[in-house]
Amino acid sequence: TFWNNFGKYLKVGMIEDDRNKEDIQPLLRFFSSKSGEEYVSLDQYIERMPEEQKAIYYVTGESRENAAMSPVLEKLNSRGYEVLFACEPLDEIMFESLRNYKDKDVVDAAKESAKMDDDDTDEAKKAKEVASTNLKATMEYLETLLTGKI
């Protein structure tokens, strides 16, 4: 197929050819957590994104199987998010030059700086408050017990 023959050259173009970067972006293809054996374009990825998803996520790995085993996928999959697999040596460098696509940030899901979109929702805040309230007595006991020992 076209991608198998010329995909690496297009990725190099993303890294080195700033003038044509915008024209190359729609031609890029990746495997993803939902694509199986088929490649997916960035446009297809965006079409399938849940409404609340604000970023395009990717994980790196030496192979599709390796990337699919990333611990980050569990949280993203539970939210219905698709994750692109960066399995070739050029992919990580290429993603660094592809900061956003069609007003969506492109985020390495495995990096600690990757902030999941809905971590600050009202539901998450309420859950933290409930946990804090439930553990208040335990926290007070530990503070009293450890006062002057730490």
Side-chain angles (χ1 to χ4, degrees):
T1 65
F2 176 81
W3 182 253
N4 290 334
N5 292 327
F6 299 104
K8 289 180 181 165
Y9 300 108
L10 291 171
K11 289 177 184 181
V12 170
M14 281 295 302
I15 298 164
E16 295 180 352
D17 190 356
D18 287 334
R19 200 172 36 171
N20 293 307
K21 189 186 274 191
E22 301 260 332
D23 295 329
I24 296 171
Q25 290 173 354
L27 301 175
L28 296 173
R29 300 288 184 269
F30 305 94
F31 289 112
S32 79
S33 58
K34 294 184 178 180
S35 70
E37 297 294 316
E38 299 294 318
Y39 287 106
V40 63
S41 70
L42 293 172
D43 289 324
Q44 290 169 321
Y45 178 97
I46 288 173
E47 285 174 20
R48 297 194 291 231
M49 282 174 58
E51 225 175 274
E52 70 277 0
Q53 184 179 342
K54 309 248 185 308
I56 297 170
Y57 293 103
Y58 72 93
V59 294
T60 58
E62 293 178 9
S63 65
R64 269 188 292 163
E65 294 78 21
N66 188 309
M69 293 173 56
S70 174
V72 165
L73 286 181
E74 186 176 333
K75 187 172 188 178
L76 293 169
N77 286 339
S78 72
R79 296 174 184 186
Y81 295 1
E82 184 172 8
V83 180
L84 299 175
F85 295 156
C87 306
E88 296 177 20
L90 278 175
D91 286 346
E92 195 165 0
I93 300 166
M94 190 272 317
F95 272 120
E96 287 179 22
S97 68
L98 178 66
R99 300 261 183 226
N100 57 45
Y101 181 74
K102 292 194 176 177
D103 298 326
K104 304 283 184 195
D105 289 336
V106 179
V107 179
D108 183 347
K111 295 215 170 144
E112 298 206 33
S113 63
K115 183 179 181 314
M116 300 301 149
D117 295 333
D118 59 351
D119 281 349
D120 291 332
T121 62
D122 290 337
E123 189 176 302
K125 287 179 184 176
K126 286 178 186 174
K128 288 178 186 177
E129 287 176 18
V130 168
S132 178
T133 304
N134 291 342
L135 295 174
K136 187 174 183 178
T138 304
M139 294 289 287
E140 289 172 357
Y141 171 75
L142 289 173
E143 285 176 8
T144 305
L145 183 68
L146 298 173
T147 300
K149 295 181 181 178
I150 297 180

